[in-house]
Amino acid sequence: MSSRESVMTEIQPEYMFVKPHSICKKLSEWEKNLLLLNKSDFIKAYKERIEDEINSYGLSLRTAELSDIDPVYDFIVSRFKKEYLDDVSRYDLFRFIEYGHGLIVEDEKKEILGCLFEVGYEKAVKISYSIRLGIDEKLKGKGLGKLLTVYSCLLAMERGSELKIGLIDITNYVSLHIHVNQVGWLIHKFYHDLSSLGLSFEFSLPLTPEALLKNRVDQDKIREFIKTHAEGKDYLILQGDDTAKIKSVYEIGKFKIAAILKDETNGDKPSFFALPSNMLYSE
């Protein structure tokens, strides 16, 4: 049995999605060739590509060490909103570094400008749980959040993890855009009753080469899809602050959010683009 067949048989069906080609980015020639490689060579080549891109900005990428706990914690305190600070302690950073991995982006002066952590869990399958993606404002527009997220997926694949999962506040639109649109994750659960954590999405990505390259959203294709399909039947557009509607959609279970739409007329509040479940699991 191949590794892909093993994943398909062990991961719960709800996690083995494939977004339709009609809303996803076209693969470049380099990406097409990348998919011809075996898993080990795929990971190696993709990691090198990300490292080279980060280096081209005069930055470096490395894995976190225990000596990074205090400076990374200081970076997190300066970067995240006050209500999120209790989510990660120095003890948590120790745990992530020792039993998962941490990624650090720094400049030539060794100033930390970005981070992402993960820790592995053994359930029915091997899960890589992501937490604390943070990028300094001065790096905005360079795609560092996407690069760190993909690199973390590659490290998790290298270790044998089969599924990436994360929990995110539904108002964290920047991180939602990075994960769901740029990397290709799917929002498959909505938690409306986690009183200590607020309103949250759980989102995931199968850790296969195909899932990493073929689920990334193309906004132009979505706009064309909306023009040629029927709202309510072929797709839903959910307002980001309409939590009652989002709750209802996920309780019924016929649609799942597959993309984040930026509404230029609605300031910083995007809307969510949901597709029928049978369209996400039929290919």
Side-chain angles (χ1 to χ4, degrees):
M1 181 179 289
S2 71
S3 60
R4 178 166 172 76
E5 288 170 338
S6 175
V7 170
M8 289 292 289
T9 56
E10 294 178 10
I11 297 180
Q12 295 176 30
E14 68 175 308
Y15 293 109
M16 291 307 301
F17 66 88
V18 179
K19 295 181 187 178
H21 301 305
S22 53
I23 70 162
C24 291
K25 288 183 177 294
K26 183 179 179 181
L27 296 182
S28 68
E29 289 304 312
W30 180 80
E31 290 165 343
K32 291 177 184 177
N33 290 330
L34 196 63
L35 286 177
L36 299 176
L37 302 176
N38 62 46
K39 183 178 178 181
S40 177
D41 289 340
F42 171 90
I43 292 170
K44 181 176 183 293
Y46 208 165
K47 283 169 60 180
E48 289 175 351
R49 178 87 165 210
I50 292 172
E51 291 163 6
D52 288 344
E53 185 169 350
I54 291 176
N55 291 343
S56 72
Y57 297 125
L59 305 168
S60 60
L61 172 65
R62 63 177 176 83
T63 53
E65 301 174 354
L66 293 181
S67 58
D68 293 310
I69 289 176
D70 283 339
V72 168
Y73 186 79
D74 291 342
F75 174 76
I76 289 173
V77 169
S78 69
R79 177 69 182 83
F80 289 94
K81 295 179 181 179
K82 193 172 183 179
E83 59 264 33
Y84 298 143
L85 296 184
D86 291 339
D87 292 354
V88 175
S89 66
R90 289 179 176 86
Y91 169 76
D92 290 319
L93 295 178
F94 170 87
R95 183 163 54 90
F96 301 154
I97 292 169
E98 282 292 279
Y99 303 105
H101 63 249
L103 294 174
I104 302 289
V105 172
E106 56 190 10
D107 61 15
E108 58 186 11
K109 297 178 181 178
K110 304 301 181 183
E111 179 186 0
I112 295 174
L113 297 175
C115 68
L116 175 62
F117 292 87
E118 75 93 56
V119 64
Y121 294 98
E122 293 276 350
K123 298 191 75 174
V125 298
K126 293 182 178 179
I127 292 173
S128 171
Y129 188 89
S130 289
I131 192 166
R132 276 298 161 265
L133 171 64
I135 304 295
D136 193 281
E137 285 294 326
K138 68 180 71 174
L139 300 182
K140 186 176 181 180
K142 289 181 166 54
L144 268 295
K146 177 189 71 174
L147 296 178
L148 283 184
T149 301
V150 174
Y151 201 93
S152 179
C153 289
L154 295 169
L155 288 180
M157 289 172 66
E158 205 167 39
R159 194 179 61 204
S161 295
E162 299 162 306
L163 182 67
K164 263 285 187 185
I165 284 185
L167 190 70
I168 186 169
D169 188 289
I170 69 168
T171 63
N172 192 345
Y173 301 128
V174 173
S175 190
L176 282 167
H177 170 72
I178 291 169
H179 286 83
V180 178
N181 289 356
Q182 295 184 341
V183 184
W185 299 38
L186 179 72
I187 296 172
H188 62 268
K189 290 183 182 178
F190 174 53
Y191 292 103
H192 59 88
D193 53 0
L194 298 178
S195 57
S196 60
L197 296 176
L199 300 172
S200 302
F201 288 130
E202 183 179 275
F203 52 4
S204 70
L205 183 72
L207 288 176
T208 67
E210 293 81 6
L212 270 175
L213 292 177
K214 292 186 174 182
N215 289 306
R216 300 166 300 169
V217 169
D218 186 319
Q219 296 281 342
D220 291 334
K221 283 188 176 182
I222 290 182
R223 283 189 280 270
E224 288 302 312
F225 186 96
I226 289 172
K227 289 178 183 178
T228 57
H229 291 76
E231 185 171 6
K233 175 186 175 185
D234 302 317
Y235 69 91
L236 295 177
I237 294 180
L238 307 170
Q239 298 308 310
D241 55 0
D242 192 350
T243 55
K245 179 65 174 178
I246 295 169
K247 176 176 177 286
S248 174
V249 166
Y250 274 85
E251 285 178 341
I252 295 171
K254 292 184 177 180
F255 287 82
K256 292 186 177 181
I257 295 169
I260 313 302
L261 301 179
K262 180 66 179 295
D263 184 355
E264 302 297 339
T265 65
N266 197 26
D268 293 329
K269 291 185 178 180
S271 50
F272 301 136
F273 177 80
L275 287 174
S277 296
N278 60 12
M279 186 179 290
L280 293 163
Y281 300 97
S282 61
E283 295 193 11

